Amino acid sequence: MDPRGGNHEQQARYFAGLAVPDGAALTEAQEELARAVLGVVLLVGLPPYSLEAAADGEETGVGLAPVPGRPHALRVLWRQDATATLYLPADLAHAQQAAMHQALRTILSAHQFWVEDGPVGEAPVVLGLTRPGAT
């Protein structure tokens, strides 16, 4: 599947299970949230992380991780190219990672997801499709 074209909803369903880097199982609520998050990720032109592509050496993309003890929450992670980060100074790789996490936080918030407040540059935690009280 091409993450840059086609039906975003269909592709989001396809990538939902593949976007969890360690292959952890998602709850039903997390699966629904994963499809919605990945739909937005695809809409804005970012590649989703894929376990299948990672097996072929393509590790870059937006990954998802269940939040321990929170069956309705997902952490949204930017996975930098592992090989490229080997050649970057550590502070530059960290700055890029933080910038991508902040961009994801901004994009998801703009699309009305309920994103937990957290430190700038930390991978955002998405709590729901909409923030309570949002119109």
Side-chain angles (χ1 to χ4, degrees):
M1 298 208 118
D2 178 8
R4 292 170 294 281
N7 181 321
H8 293 133
E9 289 180 19
Q10 180 182 4
Q11 290 185 32
R13 279 192 304 276
Y14 173 78
F15 282 111
L18 298 173
V20 182
D22 64 3
L26 301 177
T27 65
E28 188 175 322
Q30 289 168 331
E31 180 83 22
E32 179 184 351
L33 192 53
R35 288 191 302 269
V37 166
L38 291 173
V40 168
V41 164
L42 289 159
L43 183 65
V44 301
L46 292 171
Y49 174 84
S50 169
L51 287 171
E52 291 174 347
D56 293 333
E58 292 290 326
E59 298 182 47
T60 303
V62 177
L64 305 170
V67 180
R70 298 170 77 186
H72 298 282
L74 282 175
R75 186 170 300 278
V76 182
L77 310 156
W78 174 250
R79 304 275 304 193
Q80 292 190 65
D81 180 76
T83 305
T85 58
L86 290 174
Y87 298 101
L88 294 174
D91 58 337
L92 180 56
H94 178 73
Q96 285 179 178
Q97 185 76 21
M100 286 303 295
H101 283 157
Q102 189 58 39
L104 288 168
R105 180 180 299 280
T106 301
I107 290 165
L108 294 168
S109 294
H111 283 268
Q112 303 301 310
F113 282 90
W114 181 13
V115 179
E116 185 175 74
D117 292 334
V120 171
E122 184 176 283
V125 173
V126 179
L127 303 173
L129 298 173
T130 57
R131 180 176 291 279
T135 55

